[in-house]
Amino acid sequence: MNLTALSFLAPWALGAALALPVLWWLLRVTPPAPREVRFPAIRLLLGLGAREETPAKTPLWLVLLRMLVAVLVILGVAHPVLDAPTAARDQRPLLLVVDDGWAAAADWPERRARLETLLDAAARGGRRVMLLPTAPPADGGNVAVSAMMTADQARSLLPSLEPKPWPVDRAAAEAALRGAGRGGGMQVVWLTDGVAGAGADGLARQLQILGRVEALVPPPARLPKQLLPPAADAAGLAPVVRRVSAAAEETVTVRALDAAGRVLERRQVRLPAGERATAAAIGLPTELRNRVARLDLAEATTAAGVALVDEGARRRPVGLVTAGAAPGTPLLDPLHYVGRALAPFAEVRRAPVGELLRRPLAVAVLPETVSLGADERARLRDWIEAGGTLLRFAGPSLADAPDDLLPVRLRAGGRTLGGALSWTEPAGLAPFPADKPFAGLDVPDDVRVEAQVLAEPELGLDEKTWARLADGTPLVTADRLGRGRIVLVHTTATPAWGDLALSRLFVDLLRRVVLVSEGVRAESGDAPLPPLELLDAFGAARAPGGVAAPLPAAGDERPAPGPRHPPGFYGSEAARHAFNLAPALPPPAPLTLPRGVTMAAYDTVPHSLDLRPWLLAAALALAVVDLAIALALRGVVGRRPATAAGLGLLALIGVAPEPALAQEGGEQFALAAALTTRLAYVEVGDPGVDDVSHAGLSGLTMILDRRTAAELGEPAGVDVERDPLVFFPLLYWPITPQQPPLSEEARAKVNEYMRNGGMILFDTRDQDRQAMGGEGPESGAFRDMAEGLAVPPLAPVDEDHVLARAFYLLRELPGRFDGGTVWVARDGVASSNDGVSPVIIGSHDWAGAWAVDEGGRPLFATAPGGERQRELAYRFGVNAVMYALTGNYKGDQVHLPTILDRLGQ
């Protein structure tokens, strides 16, 4: 029922207005409830005569009030809606064009709500509707426009309308409209995904033939983003984030997950204004990096915002070619140092070359002491041409008898100290070229090479040289052979010709060689790869179904993602192959449409005004007023004003919440912090780090509640520039490279906190691992941030320190990572605080190990020790809290053997 711009969705309810005269009569003749009157003592009733009383009628103004309540209820049940005047009068058929490809998943709830609003308006106007999805349907059919239908029929199709994990096909949508043969005179609303693509102009012009076109686009913050699959480099995995609009700076969160869905790492990535693509370097220990199965964008994930990682991107097995059994003495093994250097980050196998090549292999290391037969040499050459990387080391045998599996021609003999091509002193290394794989590695001053094999000067030698000695002679050369390459280190893999094999640089060089290899994929042969685990448009994994077909064999050309080949994993559980959507998409760009098409954002389109909530709310308010008047007429409010006022106040304000520790001002913050003992963390301004700190201290508080007598409240986040610190016994302070130096006031506040017995746990979160392992945390992000703080002289924590005995007896103090040194104040320095160190400094990311979700489940994996390492991290946290709460009370117990010895017992 329409009255210009006013519509009633349930006009039958207006029939209740016929009962209003009856209601008027009942309200008029019904007297108000008797008023209670208190009489004095019964003796005052003596002598009173009875008299006849007539009940009063309800006052007219009260009747009118109650009639108004009834009218409001009737109108509310009739569900009036106030439309825009043009929408209420528009009787043209409505064509709804919906982009339902992968990009629509980023804002699908808003898109769905807009569709329902448009269909509701069409239903009120009795208009006919046509629906045109632009993505190919999941059943493999063609894009098609629906027949003309009622708005209710169109609404029944909405549950089956979901975004698809492949691109839209606007050219097919244009063809479908041409085939429908519709004329003009329609209202066209196009719910676009805001992303440019082929066929957009053609579809827009075809829609303009049918009528005036209004295109609804998502707001800039909701435009979808893409995540290109990662490329392995020296720092780990490096996916690339691409976005549609580069008008403003944005920050997105890239997550690394394992096959079970556990989050291994979260990394905040800043997209500067003006840039549409940014690489996200995710540094993980090799133990965790090899478990990565998926990277995605935490905000508004779509199928293109997920980068699946298969075995080929994670596994780079290395084979050490041997002639037989390894020597009994490890130091006599020419591959001993190579194996030790590769073990932390690669899967290492030792066997003769024939046995090694029976399994997929990324890199083969061939020492100069191993002689190959003709068949083995041919097999090795075929393997290199197919994509393998051969790493060789020089030695006396190679210098005397070069072979054909070398990247450059070698001079006969070698260059040694005291030889024909003698050196006056061992040579150091030159800086690595910026365009070669070793770029960025630091050159240690103490690495010296005493002998090498020399390359013959020839054209192209510079292009083949990856590293040089200080005098310019090549130290590492490489050349392509088919799809693979041969890399030669012109010195030995042992200390025989220098100390390169004993340096940290040796590990870095081998790591870079392994990382530039092609990697291996599980063999699938010529057989097609069946779908194993597919992605929906929201990036969630689902079981294969519908018309999904196997992918062609690895050597064949891969089809574009679509209904028959959705993105996901193909192959088998033992040999997964990632088929990602983002690499098949063009770089995203904003959608532009021809002139005459009106473009508006979803949140700027005028909504219909639903009057039912307002009418029912007004009826409820007047009913409450009527109740108050009835109580007043009965004398209840008059006699008990305090009671009535109290009940009304409770009804209005409800139950006051507990004062939060959020930054509400000094007094409230101090009151809430003083009433409950809490752990606190320093807010560093990075939402990802702050969230991990809060989740970590929440997990530690849960463990303390279960295992100790400490009863702590919810952890609090504090701003050292603004909030008081004195209320917190322990302050967890994560260090990030972006933290600015503290102000003078903040430094004074922190120094005062430490002087008065407070303890700060500084965690560099693996940022300054090398610095932490040396003389102390004196460089890097911690030094820059902590400049001016009264950090006492430090010493490493040993097994006899109270921190290792405060609750649990500990030999290790790991967090999410392990291997660094934990530092505390040197003995005797903190005597003013009962011998308790005011600082604990480490690099283990303890909050990451303690962090739990709402269900108490760990958020991050721990490496390399797994759940045993997490348990040790919790025990360290318990010890740290007990150390902060109870002081050095176990100091005598720690020194008990010495005390007994002095007493002569």
Side-chain angles (χ1 to χ4, degrees):
M1 176 178 175
N2 296 307
L3 297 173
T4 63
L6 183 65
S7 305
F8 290 91
L9 300 186
W12 53 267
L14 296 176
L18 299 176
L20 290 178
V22 178
L23 181 61
W24 172 273
W25 179 78
L26 290 175
L27 293 176
R28 285 287 292 166
V29 301
T30 302
R35 180 175 180 176
E36 180 183 357
V37 178
R38 294 193 175 214
F39 289 95
I42 194 65
R43 61 185 176 81
L44 298 179
L45 299 178
L46 298 176
L48 294 180
R51 62 183 179 182
E52 183 180 355
E53 295 184 353
T54 303
K57 296 182 179 180
T58 303
L60 178 60
W61 58 270
L62 184 57
V63 174
L64 293 176
L65 175 64
R66 292 173 177 174
M67 291 294 293
L68 180 58
V69 171
V71 170
L72 291 176
V73 170
I74 293 172
L75 292 176
V77 175
H79 200 168
V81 177
L82 188 63
D83 286 317
T86 55
R89 294 192 298 266
D90 198 342
Q91 298 298 313
R92 294 175 298 167
L94 175 64
L95 173 60
L96 294 176
V97 183
V98 183
D99 283 346
D100 58 338
W102 67 269
D107 63 341
W108 188 251
E110 293 84 353
R111 189 181 302 266
R112 180 72 172 268
R114 177 61 58 216
L115 276 173
E116 292 177 349
T117 300
L118 292 169
L119 290 176
D120 287 342
R124 293 192 294 271
R127 304 167 63 188
R128 308 285 284 178
V129 178
M130 294 178 67
L131 193 61
L132 173 60
T134 60
D139 59 6
N142 297 322
V143 175
V145 62
S146 71
M148 195 69 73
M149 67 185 84
T150 65
D152 290 336
Q153 291 172 331
R155 189 183 291 109
S156 66
L157 299 178
L158 290 186
S160 63
L161 184 62
E162 293 289 339
K164 315 299 189 300
W166 47 78
V168 296
D169 190 347
R170 290 167 177 152
E174 178 189 357
L177 284 176
R178 293 180 184 274
R182 292 292 307 180
M186 301 184 72
Q187 181 193 4
V188 181
V189 179
W190 183 5
L191 287 83
T192 75
D193 54 25
V195 181
D201 286 348
L203 177 58
R205 292 190 178 93
Q206 182 63 32
L207 293 175
Q208 286 179 311
I209 297 174
L210 301 178
R212 180 177 176 274
V213 181
E214 182 180 18
L216 305 182
V217 298
R222 302 289 296 178
L223 288 171
K225 297 176 179 63
Q226 302 174 4
L227 187 67
L228 294 179
D233 59 10
L237 301 173
V240 176
V241 181
R242 299 195 303 196
R243 59 175 174 166
V244 176
S245 174
E249 179 177 317
E250 291 185 83
T251 300
V252 298
T253 303
V254 179
R255 303 185 306 169
L257 301 94
D258 62 11
R262 292 184 290 264
V263 178
L264 303 178
E265 179 66 305
R266 281 186 174 91
R267 183 60 53 91
Q268 297 286 326
V269 180
R270 187 176 66 88
L271 300 169
E275 294 187 15
R276 289 187 178 174
T278 301
I282 299 179
L284 281 173
T286 305
E287 295 83 357
L288 294 181
R289 191 185 65 194
N290 287 341
R291 291 167 53 186
V292 174
R294 167 189 172 118
L295 294 123
D296 63 22
L297 300 173
E299 301 88 358
T301 302
T302 65
V306 174
L308 300 176
V309 183
D310 59 15
E311 287 77 5
R314 297 199 310 267
R315 295 179 58 250
R316 285 177 168 79
V318 180
L320 306 184
V321 180
T322 61
T329 304
L331 296 181
L332 298 180
D333 182 3
L335 294 174
H336 171 73
Y337 295 94
V338 176
R340 291 289 300 273
L342 291 171
F345 61 87
E347 176 188 347
V348 180
R349 308 167 186 166
R350 301 175 64 101
V353 66
E355 184 177 340
L356 287 175
L357 297 182
R358 292 174 186 169
R359 300 170 61 190
L361 198 66
V363 178
V365 182
L366 178 64
E368 55 96 22
T369 57
V370 176
S371 299
L372 301 180
D375 292 342
E376 292 177 325
R377 190 176 300 277
R379 291 188 59 188
L380 189 59
R381 176 179 288 274
D382 292 341
W383 171 78
I384 298 172
E385 292 177 347
T389 297
L390 175 64
L391 174 62
R392 303 193 63 177
F393 288 88
S397 301
L398 186 63
D400 295 334
D403 54 45
D404 58 342
L405 289 179
L406 293 171
V408 295
R409 292 187 302 113
L410 301 180
R411 287 186 179 183
R415 185 187 185 198
T416 63
L417 288 174
L421 297 172
S422 62
W423 294 341
T424 58
E425 61 182 11
L429 276 64
F432 297 111
D435 59 342
K436 296 298 189 295
F438 300 150
L441 295 180
D442 294 331
V443 178
D445 297 332
D446 57 348
V447 173
R448 291 292 184 268
V449 176
E450 299 180 357
Q452 67 172 145
V453 294
L454 291 175
E456 287 283 1
E458 59 182 356
L459 293 176
L461 180 61
D462 287 343
E463 294 296 325
K464 299 178 182 179
T465 301
W466 286 7
R468 296 179 182 275
L469 294 178
D471 60 5
T473 55
L475 178 64
V476 181
T477 56
D479 194 16
R480 285 283 184 181
L481 179 61
R483 285 173 44 201
R485 60 163 53 95
I486 302 174
V487 181
L488 172 64
V489 181
H490 290 236
T491 188
T492 59
T494 66
W497 282 9
D499 51 11
L500 176 63
L502 302 177
S503 67
R504 174 60 185 267
L505 178 63
F506 188 66
V507 178
D508 294 335
L509 295 179
L510 294 182
R511 183 185 181 94
R512 291 289 181 93
V513 172
V514 173
L515 289 173
V516 299
S517 66
E518 185 175 293
V520 300
R521 296 181 181 271
E523 293 294 336
S524 59
D526 297 330
L529 305 174
L532 180 65
E533 184 180 87
L534 305 179
L535 296 179
D536 62 15
F538 301 97
R542 61 178 177 85
V547 296
L551 279 178
D556 299 335
E557 183 178 356
R558 290 284 170 86
R564 293 189 57 79
H565 302 101
F569 281 118
Y570 288 75
S572 63
E573 288 292 347
R576 290 188 168 206
H577 292 256
F579 185 53
N580 288 299
L581 173 62
L585 301 174
L591 179 65
T592 57
L593 296 175
R595 294 182 58 183
V597 176
T598 303
M599 298 186 69
Y602 287 152
D603 51 1
T604 61
V605 177
H607 290 261
S608 298
L609 180 59
D610 191 348
L611 299 178
R612 178 167 65 175
W614 300 96
L615 294 172
L616 295 180
L620 178 61
L622 292 179
V624 173
V625 172
D626 178 76
L627 176 62
I629 294 173
L631 294 175
L633 292 176
R634 295 182 60 186
V636 175
V637 177
R639 264 200 337 270
R640 301 182 180 89
T643 303
L647 293 175
L649 184 61
L650 287 178
L652 289 176
I653 66 174
V655 180
E658 177 186 0
L661 271 176
Q663 284 65 21
E664 296 287 346
E667 292 186 2
Q668 185 175 356
F669 183 93
L671 178 63
L675 292 178
T676 304
T677 303
R678 308 170 188 261
L679 305 178
Y681 61 92
V682 173
E683 295 176 341
V684 298
D686 185 328
V689 176
D690 292 342
D691 290 346
V692 172
S693 298
H694 185 273
L697 293 189
S698 297
L700 180 58
T701 300
M702 178 182 68
I703 292 295
L704 287 164
D705 182 64
R706 293 176 180 175
R707 303 184 184 183
T708 72
E711 297 181 359
L712 305 180
E714 180 72 13
V718 298
D719 184 343
V720 294
E721 299 285 349
R722 182 178 67 247
D723 298 325
L725 309 179
V726 67
F727 304 104
F728 307 103
L730 178 67
L731 201 62
Y732 176 78
W733 195 326
I735 305 299
T736 63
Q738 295 78 23
Q739 289 186 55
L742 298 176
S743 65
E744 290 293 339
E745 294 78 5
R747 280 197 292 266
K749 185 191 302 183
V750 174
N751 289 335
E752 184 71 14
Y753 172 76
M754 292 190 292
R755 255 193 318 270
N756 293 333
M759 181 184 295
I760 303 178
L761 176 55
F762 289 104
D763 191 346
T764 63
R765 302 168 58 252
D766 207 32
Q767 299 292 331
D768 292 335
R769 175 64 59 84
Q770 293 183 359
M772 299 301 288
E775 296 297 327
E778 300 173 351
S779 64
F782 174 77
R783 178 199 60 192
D784 298 337
M785 186 280 307
E787 183 178 0
L789 294 184
V791 177
L794 303 174
V797 175
D798 56 25
E799 296 181 13
D800 293 330
H801 194 276
V802 179
L803 182 60
R805 297 170 177 260
F807 194 87
Y808 292 102
L809 298 179
L810 299 177
R811 295 184 177 180
E812 304 173 10
L813 309 176
R816 186 182 174 201
F817 306 111
D818 195 7
T821 305
V822 180
W823 302 83
V824 293
R826 193 177 301 162
D827 286 344
V829 175
S831 57
S832 61
N833 291 333
D834 192 27
V836 177
S837 173
V839 296
I840 304 173
I841 308 176
S843 62
H844 293 163
D845 190 11
W846 285 292
W850 303 331
V852 295
D853 61 12
E854 294 80 359
R857 297 178 294 271
L859 287 177
F860 301 99
T862 49
E867 292 307 309
R868 171 60 181 169
Q869 181 173 322
R870 190 187 310 280
E871 172 61 25
L872 292 177
Y874 278 130
R875 294 184 180 186
F876 164 75
V878 172
N879 277 18
V881 174
M882 290 301 170
Y883 186 45
L885 292 176
T886 62
N888 204 20
Y889 82 104
K890 283 200 173 182
D892 291 342
Q893 178 181 349
V894 171
H895 300 293
L896 184 60
T898 304
I899 296 173
L900 293 178
D901 182 64
R902 289 183 178 178
L903 293 175
Q905 298 181 9

